Amino acid sequence: MKHIFNTYLLILTTVICVSCSNKNNEMTYLKFENEFNKNILDSKAKSFNFEYDGLVPQNSYFINSKLKFLKYKHRPENGSIESLIYFDFNSDKIKKIVRREVYYEWDDKRNKRNGKLSDTIFVILFDKNKVYTYFDNKLIGSTFRKEVYETDNMFIKKMKAETEKKYNNR
């Protein structure tokens, strides 16, 4: 099973490398996504199919009846936000968030998209009080910025509680 997964990841990585240009964060995000998937595999977390909010697709992974890995995607009107959440193995606290925000830039004169994208990745490490910011596949900052995750913090906690409730009552 692990060999098949690794082969699949290698093929996927190759396809993306060939088809993508480096003008966005595709390569950097793929690295974080592969790390996330490897952690799920290594910890033998069990996948659970449930959506707390029908407008926010999620992938949930459990260890000992506790949600430990969560992936979800928002689709605001002007782009997308994808988050990879790691929960601490010894508590219910959020350990790490990898968040990719892709927004279309607007032409204010015509009031429509101009075809350009703004693509930023934030890696929030709570134990270190750091937020690493990536743009154009490069690290551009590492200061703590609470506003990057503060708005979704309550949503993540509610999503975790409801997902665990559904998982444990199935």
Side-chain angles (χ1 to χ4, degrees):
M1 178 80 164
K2 190 173 181 179
H3 177 68
I4 293 170
F5 182 76
N6 288 339
T7 304
Y8 174 75
L9 281 178
L10 180 64
I11 292 169
L12 180 66
T13 304
T14 304
V15 168
I16 290 174
C17 287
V18 171
S19 65
C20 295
S21 67
N22 285 338
K23 65 182 178 181
N24 58 30
N25 280 313
E26 199 65 41
M27 298 308 298
T28 301
Y29 190 71
L30 182 60
K31 180 184 83 171
F32 287 119
E33 203 167 31
N34 287 341
E35 175 187 294
F36 183 77
N37 292 331
K38 184 178 181 331
N39 277 286
I40 291 168
L41 262 177
D42 290 349
S43 65
K44 297 181 176 133
K46 295 186 183 350
S47 177
F48 178 61
N49 188 17
F50 171 73
E51 286 189 12
Y52 164 70
D53 180 334
L55 297 175
V56 182
Q58 76 183 63
N59 300 90
S60 308
Y61 302 91
F62 282 78
I63 298 173
N64 297 327
S65 299
K66 289 293 199 175
L67 182 61
K68 294 301 174 186
F69 301 97
L70 174 65
K71 178 180 181 178
Y72 70 91
K73 193 167 198 167
H74 286 277
R75 289 260 185 216
E77 179 180 319
N78 195 31
S80 68
I81 301 170
E82 189 164 340
S83 297
L84 308 172
I85 319 270
Y86 295 76
F87 293 96
D88 188 271
F89 279 18
N90 299 317
S91 70
D92 285 338
K93 292 181 181 178
I94 299 171
K95 183 177 179 181
K96 175 180 174 179
I97 299 175
V98 177
R99 171 165 292 147
R100 183 180 187 189
E101 298 180 3
V102 179
Y103 290 103
Y104 292 99
E105 294 179 7
W106 284 85
D107 181 345
D108 290 334
K109 293 178 185 175
R110 295 187 200 149
N111 197 26
K112 62 180 182 177
R113 295 181 201 173
N114 66 12
K116 295 180 184 176
L117 293 174
S118 172
D119 185 349
T120 309
I121 295 173
F122 302 99
V123 178
I124 303 120
L125 300 175
F126 291 90
D127 59 340
K128 294 182 180 181
N129 273 354
K130 289 278 190 180
V131 176
Y132 296 96
T133 306
Y134 294 83
F135 188 79
D136 197 21
N137 288 306
K138 294 180 186 93
L139 177 65
I140 62 168
S142 63
T143 59
F144 189 68
R145 295 177 41 215
K146 195 173 184 179
E147 72 276 2
V148 171
Y149 71 88
E150 197 171 48
T151 55
D152 283 344
N153 202 21
M154 198 54 98
F155 179 74
I156 292 168
K157 287 179 181 180
K158 287 180 183 178
M159 183 186 290
K160 180 179 183 0
E162 289 300 314
T163 303
E164 285 180 349
K165 183 178 171 183
K166 187 72 171 180
Y167 181 84
N168 290 311
N169 291 327
R170 58 192 161 110

